Amino acid sequence: MRGGWLRVYAIGYLVFLYLPVILLPLFAFNEGTVIAFPLKGFTTQWFVELAGIQALHGALLNSLFIALITASLSVLLGICAARASTRYRWPAKGPMMGVIMLPLVLPEIIVAVSLLVVIVQIFDLPLSAWSVIAGHTLICTPFAIAILTSSFQGLDLSLEEAAVDLGESRWGAFSKIVLPLVSPGIVASFLICFTISLDEFIIAFFLTGAEPTLPVYIWGQLRFPTKIPAVMALGTLMLVASLLILSVAEYFRRRGVRRIGGKDSGGFL
């Protein structure tokens, strides 16, 4: 009986969580311009209209640029932090790693306002794509560290030590032995950080300059009722892209776990 109630709770939770997501593509293919039931008919008109919106294309390119740079920086910092935390010991290691992972639990609006004050008031710098990259890197790096830490923890340190004993340098052993073994984790963390940056709104809303990101552009379009069907179509495309990226990331994460012989403790999907 206890298991039955748990099953009911799980189903109810999934319905509550994903029902709005299911409605998104439903209205994206709806012929009517009003987001309401009953549906009027099937159409792909709103998807065709997306191709002619130049402002949308600029926002998309801006988001892709920010997401690529953010993911690259986050993974690079994640590799350094994960390597250090699993390979070495130093004083106050636990508190220091806790501070690095703190953005995982901090409200994004607090992070956004704090960064806005630092960038504009303290450093007197203009808001631009790079200010958004700084904010996204701050929140994405802990995700990269969490994924890469599991990859580095499953490594057999004797493989690296054997390479050093055979005459290889520390950097050579790291680049030729360690990095190839954790490469699935690197790919998975890159894709996760890319998706988070591409979809993130709050930090981008506060730190974006004259060129908005795609989520900020979508927010601006919601003020116009006639634009909402096209926004639904755009949201559907972003949903599909995010699911595909997360699926690929989960594949590489599980592949990395199997490759190093670790135990899979659960993932994204």
Side-chain angles (χ1 to χ4, degrees):
M1 186 64 181
R2 185 177 303 173
W5 282 112
L6 182 60
R7 191 177 298 109
V8 171
Y9 167 77
I11 294 173
Y13 175 80
L14 292 175
V15 170
F16 174 79
L17 187 64
Y18 291 106
L19 185 58
V21 178
I22 297 174
L23 293 177
L24 184 65
L26 191 63
F27 286 114
F29 289 101
N30 181 31
E31 189 176 356
T33 58
V34 178
I35 308 302
F37 290 102
L39 303 178
K40 289 190 175 181
F42 180 84
T43 182
T44 57
Q45 171 188 351
W46 315 120
F47 292 91
V48 175
E49 286 188 1
L50 296 178
I53 305 176
Q54 296 301 320
L56 166 63
H57 302 163
L60 175 60
L61 291 176
N62 195 36
S63 283
L64 290 175
F65 170 76
I66 291 173
L68 285 172
I69 301 299
T70 296
S72 301
L73 292 176
S74 299
V75 170
L76 180 61
L77 294 173
I79 290 175
C80 296
R83 165 75 171 178
S85 66
T86 57
R87 186 71 170 81
Y88 304 103
R89 295 182 179 179
W90 68 88
K93 173 182 173 181
M96 290 179 64
M97 292 305 299
V99 171
I100 294 175
M101 303 298 287
L102 193 59
L104 283 176
V105 297
L106 283 177
E108 284 193 13
I109 190 169
I110 301 299
V111 176
V113 173
S114 301
L115 288 173
L116 181 63
V117 172
V118 170
I119 293 173
V120 177
Q121 298 295 330
I122 298 180
F123 291 104
D124 195 23
L125 296 174
L127 297 178
S128 64
W130 291 103
S131 57
V132 180
I133 289 172
H136 284 185
T137 302
L138 181 64
I139 64 171
C140 287
T141 298
F143 289 94
I145 294 174
I147 297 171
L148 289 166
T149 297
S150 63
S151 298
F152 278 103
Q153 282 178 340
L155 279 178
D156 186 358
L157 296 180
S158 63
L159 296 176
E160 183 180 359
E161 298 297 335
V164 174
D165 290 341
L166 292 174
E168 188 61 76
S169 64
R170 283 289 180 182
W171 169 250
F174 178 75
S175 60
K176 296 177 182 179
I177 304 297
V178 177
L179 283 184
L181 289 175
V182 300
S183 58
I186 294 175
V187 175
S189 59
F190 181 90
L191 294 175
I192 291 297
C193 294
F194 180 87
T195 304
I196 293 173
S197 176
L198 189 65
D199 296 339
E200 201 281 327
F201 169 74
I202 297 178
I203 291 178
F205 180 77
F206 277 86
L207 301 182
T208 190
E211 299 178 351
T213 63
L214 192 57
V216 175
Y217 170 82
I218 292 175
W219 168 258
Q221 295 301 299
L222 291 177
R223 295 176 296 173
F224 309 102
T226 57
K227 300 289 187 180
I228 292 181
V231 170
M232 291 290 183
L234 179 59
T236 300
L237 294 178
M238 292 184 65
L239 174 64
V240 173
S242 298
L243 290 177
L244 288 175
I245 294 174
L246 287 174
S247 298
V248 175
E250 176 68 0
Y251 165 77
F252 278 101
R253 189 196 67 81
R254 294 184 179 182
R255 180 183 175 187
V257 172
R258 292 194 300 268
R259 191 171 186 176
I260 61 179
K263 183 179 179 181
D264 193 353
S265 57
F268 315 113
L269 300 176

